Amino acid sequence: MAERLEQLVDKLAAEHTLTDGEYRDLIAGRTPELAERLAERAVAAREPIYGTKVFTRGLVEISNYCKNDCLYCGIRRSNKNVERYRLDPDTIVACAREGYELGFRTIVLQGGEDGHFTDEVLGDIVVRIKETCPDTAVTLSMGERSRESYQRLFDAGADRYLLRHETASPEHYAQLHPAEMSWEHRMQCLRDLREIGYQVGAGFMVGAPYQTVEHLVREMRFVEDFKPDMCGIGPFIPHHDTPFANEPQGTLELTLYLLSMIRLIHPSVLLPATTALGTIDERGREKGMLAGANVVMPNLSPVAVRKQYELYDNKICTGEESAQCRGCLGLRMTLIGYELAIDRGDIRK
């Protein structure tokens, strides 16, 4: 059995695809030895494309207001214990400018689905950032919007859009979201973004409530079929003010295993070592790089509001200034033989 699973790792590295049954066996048969073999193959697949460069995305969390009520999220609208905030345009642009001066060449504007940020308001912020920070990519992560809205924001200068699909299984999606939210609509949003011309990011939680090996097989198939430009995955971490407060946390080991698999399925994908990895393990982001990742997303938000953008408990780096955060990450990457790049970090196809 062990020899067959090793052969599946080699097949995935060579052919970038497996059958559903083979994906199932490889995930269910995970061992430390297989994880090491996958990580070696993943690093070998990444290095001819990206070398040892780590691309930074400066994250500005612009609002924790959200109209949605996702069952796993700390800023869900039903959570009355959240101290809500919304950054004004001048503050957002100033955060982006600070990031630019620190060497960031991608700025990510992330927030809940906040109706205050209309196409006009958000589009104007995009225009100002592009004017203030030349040769910088602007990424938006503001949830589900209409195709017309996505088009207007693209026309304003947005380059990328991150929309985590959370799960590739409609039935599982329904277990994680209220009935008013639709898996089919979320997938349509991803297709709209791709057709408009954005670089598109997707992603899912590892160890989410009700998740099975079959669900993870579907995630691998989704990556293979949709080929997102970026795929952000991280371990599920419960939030104390959600219906899933007492659910078990996802594991670092399974997340790293799946990171390596994703790199082998889609070698040129931009693959973050997420903040959630660093939250459950002090060296989680370094371990992500050694499993095949090549992106980190330090926080550029004002320190005063970082604790309020609490999607899950115990998020790291909420008290550090932006320069401290980048300096710490740079040192961490150097110690494992990687370097933070001053680069937009576009996907290399």
Side-chain angles (χ1 to χ4, degrees):
M1 183 63 174
E3 182 179 354
R4 177 175 175 271
L5 293 178
E6 290 174 359
Q7 290 171 352
L8 289 183
V9 172
D10 296 341
K11 178 182 176 182
L12 187 59
E15 301 179 15
H16 317 302
T17 184
L18 296 175
T19 67
D20 284 359
E22 289 169 336
Y23 279 133
R24 186 181 305 111
D25 290 346
L26 190 55
I27 294 168
R30 174 173 61 91
T31 64
E33 293 75 22
L34 276 176
E36 184 176 354
R37 190 181 188 95
L38 269 171
E40 289 173 355
R41 299 293 189 276
V43 169
R46 183 200 62 215
E47 288 196 343
I49 306 171
Y50 297 111
T52 56
K53 287 186 176 180
V54 176
F55 301 113
T56 54
R57 277 70 166 108
L59 182 63
V60 185
E61 296 158 335
I62 68 176
S63 172
N64 70 351
Y65 284 89
C66 190
K67 70 177 185 180
N68 291 330
D69 214 17
C70 304
L71 302 184
Y72 48 82
C73 184
I75 64 169
R76 62 197 303 260
R77 70 166 187 262
S78 292
N79 186 1
K80 305 304 181 185
N81 295 323
V82 177
E83 183 181 351
R84 304 288 176 176
Y85 76 90
R86 181 183 292 131
L87 300 183
D88 63 81
D90 287 347
T91 300
I92 295 168
V93 175
C95 289
R97 183 64 198 179
E98 179 186 13
Y100 185 81
E101 291 171 353
L102 289 170
F104 294 95
R105 292 300 179 266
T106 291
I107 302 298
V108 181
L109 306 185
Q110 184 179 71
E113 292 194 19
D114 181 355
H116 171 81
F117 287 98
T118 62
D119 298 340
E120 183 178 7
V121 171
L122 195 53
D124 182 63
I125 293 169
V126 171
V127 169
R128 290 179 61 188
I129 291 173
K130 299 289 273 193
E131 290 174 347
T132 306
C133 307
D135 63 278
T136 295
V138 174
T139 302
L140 301 178
S141 183
M142 299 293 292
E144 297 179 21
R145 303 172 79 99
S146 69
R147 184 186 179 108
E148 293 73 24
S149 173
Y150 290 144
Q151 184 68 61
R152 284 192 285 268
L153 295 171
F154 184 77
D155 292 343
D159 302 274
R160 306 177 185 142
Y161 205 99
L162 305 182
L163 182 66
R164 286 172 62 130
H165 62 285
E166 303 300 358
T167 172
S169 305
E171 310 83 12
H172 190 210
Y173 187 92
Q175 293 176 299
L176 302 177
H177 299 86
E180 68 211 43
M181 296 184 69
S182 160
W183 179 86
E184 290 78 9
H185 185 260
R186 204 163 189 90
M187 290 296 169
Q188 184 60 54
C189 286
L190 286 169
R191 290 191 293 270
D192 288 344
L193 290 162
R194 171 67 55 79
E195 290 168 7
I196 287 168
Y198 284 94
Q199 295 175 46
V200 182
F204 60 93
M205 296 179 290
V206 178
Y210 314 115
Q211 190 178 70
T212 66
V213 170
E214 293 299 327
H215 293 138
L216 294 176
V217 169
R218 290 200 191 184
E219 301 301 345
M220 298 303 102
R221 185 65 62 204
F222 170 83
V223 172
E224 187 177 320
D225 293 342
F226 186 73
K227 285 190 168 53
D229 298 298
M230 182 170 129
C231 189
I233 74 169
F236 167 76
I237 302 174
H239 187 281
H240 62 278
D241 280 327
T242 70
F244 294 150
N246 297 317
E247 291 291 326
Q249 179 174 284
T251 68
L252 174 73
E253 292 76 17
L254 179 56
T255 306
L256 297 175
Y257 195 81
L258 295 172
L259 276 172
S260 297
M261 289 182 66
I262 291 169
R263 173 64 66 194
L264 295 180
I265 293 168
H266 185 11
S268 63
V269 69
L270 293 161
L271 198 57
T274 61
T275 303
L277 286 177
T279 297
I280 67 171
D281 186 300
E282 184 182 359
R283 296 189 66 249
R285 287 173 293 183
E286 293 97 306
K287 291 177 180 179
M289 294 300 149
L290 297 173
N294 66 332
V295 172
V296 289
M297 299 178 69
N299 203 325
L300 296 177
S301 306
V303 172
V305 302
R306 289 188 194 177
K307 289 184 182 295
Q308 293 159 245
Y309 198 83
E310 189 180 65
L311 306 184
Y312 50 82
D313 285 349
N314 303 315
K315 190 173 74 169
I316 60 171
C317 299
T318 56
E320 293 181 340
E321 297 293 343
S322 300
Q324 287 177 301
C325 192
R326 191 183 193 283
C328 173
L329 264 178
L331 178 59
R332 286 173 174 269
M333 294 301 111
T334 299
L335 289 174
I336 59 169
Y338 290 74
E339 58 177 322
L340 294 187
I342 299 179
D343 190 308
R344 281 172 45 115
D346 292 305
I347 189 169
R348 298 176 184 174
K349 299 182 178 180

